[in-house]
Amino acid sequence: MVRKMVSMMVSLVMLLTVLSACASNSGNNAEPSQSASNTPSESAAPEGTDAGTGNPADLKADLTWFGLMGPEQFEERYNQYIKQKFPNINITYINQTDEQKLEQVIASGTEIDMFLSSAGELREDYVPANMALNLTPLLEKHAVDISTIEPAYLEPVKIDGNVNLLPITDNKFVMYYNKGIFDRFGVKYPWDGMTWDEALELSKQITRNEGGKQYIGLWMSPKHYLRVAQNSAGFIDPETNKATVNNDQWKFIFENIFYNFTRDPGLQKRASEEWLAHKDFNKEFLIGMYVYTSGWMSSADTSLAMDWDIAAVPTFKDMPEVNTQPYATYVGISALSKNQDVAMQVLKYLISEEYQTIISKKGMITPLTTQSVRDAAFADYPFASEKNIEALFYGKPAPSRVLTQFDELVIEDALDQDAVRQIAMGKLDVNTALRNAEELANKLIQEQLAQN
C-alpha cells in the first residue's frame, strides 16, 4: 500500500514546478487542484502523436504502463494486441514488485501514462499518488461509448460521480463441483439459480468421513468471497475509519455460509487439524463444491484435474439472481501523463468489441453486456462446448460495497485469518467472532494510521 510519502513526493514535485514557473515570470497564478480526482489538461497532445487521427497506424507515442501483473502476462493479455492495432505506439511496462513500488518509480522521475488497477487499488494507491484522473472529458472528446459496459463495474471506480477507470476483464466467481464425488454419493449436481439453503442440503448429503477420508460438501476461499459478498456489506465506515463488521449485514453472511456449512463435527475436527485449502478440492478431491474465481478455468489442465463443471454461485432466497460483486481488472490514465489523448485511444480499443471478443475466447471474462462477446467465452478451449459456460453470466452483479483503503486489513487479518476459522473449528459463535474481529480490525487500523 502506498504510504503518505507518496503524496508528499508528488506534492513536492508539483510545488517545485509551480515555483519554477513563477521564477520564469510565466504569469500563471493557478494553484494545483486539491481534488481527489484530477481532470485532463486542455493542452494539445504532444507533438508527433497525431492523437486526433482516425487511423491507428498514425498514432505515435511512447507510453509507460505500471501494474502488479507480471511482464509475460501483460504481453500476452495486452501488449501484443496493442502493438498489432497501434504499430507506432511503443509501450514500456513496469511491473510492481517489492523492490520496485509505485512510490519508488515516482521518486525516480519516471512518468507513468497508464496503469492496471483494481477498484480498491484506485483509492489505496493512485489517489494518494495524485494519479487518479476523471476520464469523462476524454471519453467525450474521443467519442468512447461505455454504454455496453455493465454499470456495476463503473460504480466502484467513480469519484465525485466521475469514472476514473475502465474495466477490461473480470475474474468472475463460480461454484466448481467435482462430478465424481456427486456420482459416488448419488447426489444431484448443482444448478444455476440454486439458493444457499439448497446448496446446504446438497452439502449435508456429501459431508461425511468414509474410508478414513473426511469429505466436505462445500467450501470456498473465504477472503475472496468476503470481498464480493452478495449483500454488498462494507468493512469500514469511510467517515470514521472504524470497522463495521459486527452488524446484521455481516451476521447474515456468517450465519448463512461460514456457520451453517461447518456444523459437522468431522469437518470441524479437520479444520482444527489442518485448515481447508484449494488443494482439498483440486488435488486431494475431498470437497464436492468450491466457490472461487473463473481463473482456474484458464488453466483447467492443471487446476482442475477431475471431471468438473461449474454452476452459478448460490443466491440468497431474498435476493434472487443477485450474483457476486465485480472483481475486475481496470485500466486508468495517469493525471500526470503528457500522452492522455493517445492513452485514451488505446483504452478505447481495450473496451471495443474487437478486443473483447479476442480475450473472451481466451478465457478472460468480459465486462460488456454485448451478447456476441459473452458467447465467445472460452471458445479457444476444447471444454467450452461441454461445460456450463452460461453460469459465468448468471443474474446481475451485486452493487459494489463502499471501498476504503483499510478494507484488506479487515478482510485478511480480522475475518479470514481469525473469525472464519474460529467459527469453522467450532470454537466461537458468530456474534462473538464478529465482535472480536471488529475489535482486532480497529486496533490494526489505528496502528496503520500511526505509521502514516
Side-chain angles (χ1 to χ4, degrees):
M1 185 182 296
V2 174
R3 307 291 187 194
K4 188 176 180 181
M5 62 181 292
V6 179
S7 296
M8 294 174 63
M9 290 175 183
V10 177
S11 299
L12 179 59
V13 172
M14 296 173 70
L15 178 60
L16 291 174
T17 302
V18 172
L19 292 174
S20 174
C22 292
S24 300
N25 297 316
S26 66
N28 182 4
N29 295 321
E31 295 181 359
S33 170
Q34 299 302 309
S35 173
S37 178
N38 301 286
T39 54
S41 164
E42 292 299 324
S43 61
E47 185 177 353
T49 60
D50 297 326
T53 182
N55 185 357
D58 291 337
L59 287 171
K60 302 173 185 177
D62 294 322
L63 299 180
T64 298
W65 283 58
F66 182 83
L68 280 169
M69 183 177 290
E72 291 183 2
Q73 194 174 34
F74 177 80
E75 179 66 28
E76 178 186 354
R77 292 191 176 189
Y78 298 96
N79 199 27
Q80 65 166 316
Y81 303 110
I82 295 172
K83 285 189 293 188
Q84 291 172 13
K85 188 71 174 180
F86 305 98
N88 293 310
I89 291 180
N90 178 59
I91 291 179
T92 300
Y93 180 66
I94 301 174
N95 176 209
Q96 176 169 316
T97 63
D98 289 339
E99 295 74 32
Q100 189 171 239
K101 295 183 178 180
L102 181 59
E103 61 264 35
Q104 295 164 326
V105 174
I106 293 174
S108 73
T110 300
E111 294 184 359
I112 297 170
D113 297 294
M114 304 182 75
F115 55 90
L116 297 170
S117 178
S118 66
E121 287 166 348
L122 172 65
R123 289 163 176 80
E124 292 173 10
D125 297 345
Y126 296 106
V127 167
N130 288 332
M131 288 172 61
L133 178 71
N134 170 16
L135 297 178
T136 304
L138 285 171
L139 292 170
E140 294 173 352
K141 179 178 180 180
H142 294 278
V144 181
D145 181 13
I146 60 173
S147 65
T148 57
I149 296 175
E150 174 70 53
Y153 292 99
L154 297 175
E155 289 304 316
V157 292
K158 286 183 178 179
I159 297 176
D160 297 329
N162 298 308
V163 173
N164 279 245
L165 306 173
L166 291 185
I168 310 301
T169 61
D170 192 12
N171 221 349
K172 282 277 191 178
F173 281 72
V174 294
M175 187 166 70
Y176 296 92
Y177 62 94
N178 185 332
K179 288 185 174 181
I181 291 179
F182 279 81
D183 292 343
R184 175 172 183 161
F185 299 128
V187 179
K188 179 181 178 181
Y189 294 157
W191 62 94
D192 297 342
M194 179 172 62
T195 66
W196 281 107
D197 289 341
E198 290 168 327
L200 178 61
E201 292 308 308
L202 292 186
S203 180
K204 289 178 179 177
Q205 294 177 55
I206 291 172
T207 302
R208 68 188 74 190
N209 194 299
E210 183 177 283
K213 292 183 177 181
Q214 178 61 51
Y215 290 94
I216 297 164
L218 184 149
W219 194 240
M220 62 186 65
S221 170
K223 65 182 178 182
H224 284 87
Y225 180 78
L226 289 167
R227 294 181 182 119
V228 298
Q230 288 146 297
N231 68 347
S232 306
F235 300 98
I236 303 286
D237 181 342
E239 299 297 323
T240 63
N241 286 331
K242 296 289 187 182
T244 56
V245 294
N246 185 22
N247 58 32
D248 289 342
Q249 276 190 300
W250 281 115
K251 287 176 184 176
F252 176 82
I253 294 294
F254 272 71
E255 287 172 355
N256 280 283
I257 298 178
F258 301 117
Y259 182 85
N260 285 350
F261 282 86
T262 57
R263 294 307 87 203
D264 181 82
L267 187 157
Q268 293 177 359
K269 181 174 183 292
R270 162 58 211 273
S272 299
E273 294 172 348
E274 181 184 357
W275 184 239
L276 308 175
H278 294 336
K279 67 180 179 65
D280 293 310
F281 175 75
N282 62 7
K283 287 186 171 58
E284 303 298 332
F285 312 129
L286 297 175
I287 298 177
M289 299 171 279
Y290 201 86
V291 176
Y292 194 53
T293 72
S294 56
W296 273 351
M297 297 172 68
S298 299
S299 57
D301 288 346
T302 54
S303 298
L304 298 166
M306 80 287 280
D307 187 7
W308 63 277
D309 207 338
I310 61 171
V313 175
T315 60
F316 294 105
K317 61 183 179 182
D318 294 334
M319 292 182 280
E321 297 190 2
V322 176
N323 212 319
T324 51
Q325 299 170 55
Y327 200 60
T329 296
Y330 295 83
V331 170
I333 298 172
S334 172
L336 308 177
S337 172
K338 297 182 177 68
N339 297 300
Q340 292 177 1
D341 286 297
V342 177
M344 179 51 73
Q345 289 290 339
V346 173
L347 191 49
K348 182 178 183 178
Y349 168 66
L350 293 177
I351 65 164
S352 69
E353 288 186 24
E354 177 186 349
Y355 173 78
Q356 287 290 318
T357 299
I358 292 171
I359 62 171
S360 183
K361 291 178 179 179
K362 296 184 179 299
M364 286 162 272
I365 312 304
T366 183
L368 304 187
T369 58
T370 309
Q371 193 60 47
S372 62
V373 180
R374 291 184 169 189
D375 288 343
F378 288 93
D380 287 353
Y381 289 77
F383 63 69
S385 62
E386 303 170 359
K387 306 300 181 184
N388 181 28
I389 302 298
E390 292 81 7
L392 292 163
F393 304 106
Y394 175 81
K396 286 284 187 181
S400 178
R401 58 184 161 84
V402 176
L403 300 167
T404 79
Q405 62 179 320
F406 300 114
D407 287 355
E408 288 303 307
L409 285 177
V410 184
I411 294 167
E412 299 228 14
D413 296 320
L415 296 179
D416 181 69
Q417 295 292 322
D418 190 41
V420 173
R421 300 188 184 213
Q422 295 297 322
I423 291 169
M425 294 175 189
K427 295 181 177 180
L428 290 180
D429 61 84
V430 170
N431 288 336
T432 304
L434 289 179
R435 183 172 63 249
N436 293 349
E438 186 163 286
E439 292 174 359
L440 174 59
N442 284 327
K443 178 176 179 291
L444 294 172
I445 292 167
Q446 289 306 310
E447 291 174 354
Q448 182 87 36
L449 289 168
Q451 291 175 9
N452 290 343

